[in-house]
């Protein structure tokens, strides 16, 4: 069967054991797209992500070629498909792109060196699991688990919410595009085996299903080819 790590770096997801024991699913590209636009849950925990914090963190990242939001709780897409989210006045979170399997973001963590400037690395791969909830039913699913209004009108693409999801502290980033709602959820890795089935349960009402990362990668490639 295809697992998220077939299209992502070899780093293990905290949910890897569930993916390896799940029944094989033969989903056509058309079926995958239909699920992604309706209601689907994906595990992107194998993708690199990293944080930077400090009074000069923004200057450092701009020098590295990143476009950054002007204020906290906003995120900007980068040309390579990665995202830069601003969590506070001095804290940023970089999320890798499926298009390059997160290579750019992984390189940022490797390249960073502590110097004289006030910019500090915050490794996030082991501390934060990363799930993506996709489809126009995603706001309704989240309404069951989160007190923040994540409807398109209140929470458009590029917005960030640092909130509680199913009683867990989580970062929610709306990275939707091409008319498809998509929420990145980052939270304590130790709670991944709790939140994954909770989300699947909340999705049942809307006939939502889990998908492998290869389905989203195929969608991203089709959008890029347009």
């Amino acid at each position: 069967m295809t697992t998220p790590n077939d299209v992502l770096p070899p780093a293990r997801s905290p949910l890897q054991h569930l993916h390896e024991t799940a029944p094989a699913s033969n989903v056509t590209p058309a079926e995958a797209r239909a699920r992604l636009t309706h209601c689907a849950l994906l595990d992107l925990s194998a993708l690199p992500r990293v944080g930077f914090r400090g009074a000069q963190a923004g200057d450092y990242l701009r020098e590295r070629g990143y476009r950054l939001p002007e204020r906290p709780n906003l995120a900007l897409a980068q040309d390579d498909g990665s995202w830069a989210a601003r969590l506070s006045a001095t804290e940023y979170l970089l999320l890798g792109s499926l298009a390059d399997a997160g290579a750019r973001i992984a390189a940022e963590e490797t390249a960073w060196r502590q110097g004289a400037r006030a910019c500090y690395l915050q490794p996030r791969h082991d501390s934060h699991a990363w799930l993506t909830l996709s489809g126009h039913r995603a706001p309704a699913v989240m309404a069951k688990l989160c007190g923040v209004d994540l409807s398109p009108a209140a929470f458009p693409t590029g917005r960030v919410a640092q909130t509680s999801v199913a009683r867990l502290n989580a970062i929610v980033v709306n990275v939707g595009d091409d008319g498809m709602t998509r929420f990145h959820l980052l939270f304590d890795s130790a709670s991944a085996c709790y939140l994954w089935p909770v989300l699947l349960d909340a999705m049942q009402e809307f006939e939502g299903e889990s998908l492998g990362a290869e389905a989203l990668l195929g969608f991203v490639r089709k959008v890029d080819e347009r």
Side-chain angles (χ1 to χ4, degrees):
M1 92 179 256
T2 303
T3 72
N5 280 351
D6 290 331
V7 292
L8 295 180
R12 290 181 63 85
S13 161
L15 295 167
Q16 188 65 24
H17 64 291
L18 296 181
H19 302 318
E20 290 173 348
T21 58
S25 177
N26 297 317
V27 180
T28 67
E31 291 171 337
R33 180 180 175 84
R35 293 184 188 182
L36 284 168
T37 56
H38 177 67
C39 188
L41 181 64
L42 304 93
D43 177 18
L44 298 188
S45 294
L47 266 180
R49 57 261 186 207
V50 68
F52 291 90
R53 187 171 188 172
Q56 295 177 306
D59 293 337
Y60 172 78
L61 291 174
R62 290 185 189 94
E63 291 172 6
R64 301 287 293 178
Y66 290 92
R67 296 190 303 272
L68 302 178
E70 294 183 356
R71 62 181 189 276
N73 293 321
L74 293 176
L76 285 178
Q78 310 299 302
D79 291 339
D80 65 343
S82 59
W83 282 78
R86 188 168 186 173
L87 304 183
S88 72
T90 60
E91 183 178 359
Y92 299 86
L93 176 65
L94 304 182
L95 302 174
S97 169
L98 271 171
D100 68 351
R104 182 187 183 189
I105 303 305
E108 294 299 344
E109 185 166 1
T110 302
W112 180 84
R113 296 292 183 272
Q114 180 62 60
R117 70 171 73 204
C119 176
Y120 308 99
L121 181 74
Q122 293 183 306
R124 290 293 181 234
H125 196 101
D126 291 332
S127 64
H128 285 63
W130 179 359
L131 304 182
T132 290
L133 183 62
S134 171
H136 71 274
R137 289 293 193 176
V141 173
M142 292 297 290
K144 295 181 173 185
L145 307 171
C146 177
V148 175
D149 183 359
L150 301 180
S151 64
F155 194 71
T157 297
R159 289 291 180 87
V160 177
Q162 300 178 66
T163 183
S164 174
V165 177
R167 300 185 179 181
L168 294 178
N169 292 330
I171 300 168
V172 183
V173 186
N174 187 343
V175 298
D177 56 13
D178 196 48
M180 183 176 72
T181 298
R182 193 156 77 248
F183 297 145
H184 286 335
L185 286 75
L186 294 107
F187 55 95
D188 180 16
S189 291
S191 300
C193 291
Y194 157 73
L195 190 57
W196 178 263
V198 166
L199 285 166
L200 289 176
D201 181 70
M203 293 162 58
Q204 284 189 2
E205 176 184 350
F206 309 105
E207 299 182 340
E209 299 179 74
S210 63
L211 285 174
E214 74 284 348
L216 184 56
L217 177 60
F219 177 86
V220 170
R221 284 174 173 165
K222 285 186 177 296
V223 171
D224 290 344
E225 290 169 357
R226 293 176 183 176

